[in-house]
Amino acid sequence: MEEQATVSAADIAQIAGVGRAAVSNWRRRYGDFPPPVGGTASSPLFSLPDVEKWLRERGKPFEISLGDRIWQRLRNLGDDLSLGLRVGRVGTFLTLRGTGKLNFDTRYDDPELLALVDRFADELGAREAYEFLCDRYVEAHSRQLSRTPEPVAALMSRLIGPAPGVVLDPACGLGTLLLASGGTRLLGQDADPTVSCIAAHRLLLAGAEVEMYGADALPMDSFEGLLADAVVCDPPFNEREWGYDELVGDPRWEYGQPPRGEPELAWVQHCLAHVKPGGPVAIRMPLAAAGRRTGRRIRGNLLRAGALRAIVTVGGADLWLLRRPKPGERPPSRLLLLADPSTVEEQWPEHLRGAEVPGAVPIIDLLDEEIDLSPARHQARDEHAGKAFLEVRRRFEGIRPELPSLAVSDGKPAFTTVAELLKSGVLSVPETVEEGDVVAAPAVPAYVHSGPPVDVEPSMSKYRTDPERLDAAFFAGCLRAAGQIAPTSSTRIDLKRTRIPRLPIETQRAHGEAFTRLAEFEDALREAAESGLELVRLGLAGLTEGQLIPETG
């Protein structure tokens, strides 16, 4: 079976310890690079033995670890649609390993694979071995799987407090939040049974007491009536088919019927319905959920009841921190709104104790017609907003864009093309970008790289100039002027036809200096525009909130 093992370009890069761009370059430069044996035109697969042989003959160092060999064998047992099921069965094997309860049907499991997994677990430990395979699974399905970033998961676990006891995650995915929570009993549910199976094995191998279900928690609540000590959740965003019509009047909607286009507010109320009075809820939400007009009634009810205690912007999303109100408890008077999470761990405990902390906004001020709770909108109300205005103004006043001195030319130069420069050897395509190489990307103007060598993404173009015949800054400026983008199958011809003026090297260097100055001028204009808009925002908000006053005299 091993002779049939195949690998993707990403796998080859990992095996050889290079970036994906290097593999793409090998395929272009070397006619003897192994041809694809499967996959698609955009995602080809290569014979692993052929790749190993080629790397060995080319003298390129590589190492295929036991874990990588297991992963490649696991992938080659079937198609990618059933890969999750196979990862789950390996989890079952590792979970039951050594218990005497293993009873695998060899028609569906590769005994040689399981022997390798057994050896791998002896080397690393069962948990670490499974985490390795789960990481590979996430990499292979990065577009289909959503995984809470580990720093965000760790922050959420710290904000719900130490030793939470029973922790529930009703949209648990691969179990990242539950693993981070520190709970003694972990309850999980996910709409994808395959994903929930993998999550269960991750939790079991971590030594936790686990109860897990594979079903969508909104229409099919597997923990109905259960109250956990804490709830954490990173639900799917913007799901249109979440069961709105079937769930009208559901008893979980204590704070209002979630609008059809606001499934995240359904998840918030589901979480609150499953936590004990006084218990914490930490849920990741899209930024828009704090200000959408359709959700203002529910946001207002959460504020009035004292359920919503803080919203903190973290990594392109918001963390909503809630507490289920205790009967007869007096609601708090302030909501903590932070656009920067750097101080939340210091301020959150103080805020819960009722102390006034920077960023805590009076709830009465928020209960207007919009009930917009976006932290960015209210950050100027912080006591440091006036200082922020002065700091941005100093930065704005320090921007001095300068144009290079340019004169009208008497003639017009002859031109060559990128293709001709490549053919003549004046230009080459390096495997790794080094100091002085030229790099460009679809959304990034061409630039000259400075600093240590790096591997760039396949979407980027990279060139190395002969410094005696072609100035790098001059070449980058020409590409920038032409709006050059990274080559793809549809733009490669245009790339080769990009025109470059034929000029003496000294003239090129003068042009290169002018190109560099123009790029600096553009960057300064952009910074001035961004700082100017920030000044207007801070000035308006600061004057309105009393943080700034006009200077007189």
Side-chain angles (χ1 to χ4, degrees), residues 5 86 128 150 164 320 530 542:
R86 300 196 296 277
E128 289 74 13
E150 290 189 5
W320 286 30
E530 292 172 354

Side-chain angles (χ1 to χ4, degrees), residues 234-258:
D234 185 359
F237 293 172
N238 304 314
E239 290 281 335
R240 294 298 175 184
E241 301 298 325
W242 58 273
Y244 172 83
D245 293 323
E246 296 80 8
L247 296 173
V248 172
D250 192 281
R252 288 171 291 182
W253 314 149
E254 183 178 349
Y255 302 93
Q257 173 70 39

Side-chain angles (χ1 to χ4, degrees), residues 71-145:
W71 174 244
Q72 298 310 328
R73 195 179 189 100
L74 189 63
R75 289 195 72 169
N76 281 275
L77 284 175
D79 59 33
D80 269 8
L81 292 176
S82 60
L83 180 57
L85 294 174
R86 300 196 296 277
V87 173
R89 289 186 70 80
V90 170
T92 302
F93 172 79
L94 289 170
T95 302
L96 298 178
R97 175 176 173 263
T99 64
K101 298 178 181 179
L102 277 171
N103 184 24
F104 274 90
D105 188 333
T106 55
R107 290 177 299 172
Y108 301 103
D109 294 282
D110 177 1
E112 293 181 32
L113 169 68
L114 297 181
L116 291 174
V117 171
D118 194 44
R119 201 174 99 207
F120 193 38
D122 283 338
E123 291 182 5
L124 286 187
R127 179 183 180 184
E128 289 74 13
Y130 197 54
E131 287 298 310
F132 175 91
L133 297 176
C134 288
D135 287 342
R136 289 288 189 270
Y137 178 61
V138 171
E139 290 171 10
H141 290 74
S142 58
R143 293 184 180 180
Q144 291 82 25
L145 293 172

Side-chain angles (χ1 to χ4, degrees), residues 270-285:
H270 176 89
C271 292
L272 282 170
H274 278 292
V275 71
K276 295 176 180 177
V281 171
I283 180 169
R284 200 161 180 246
M285 298 280 280

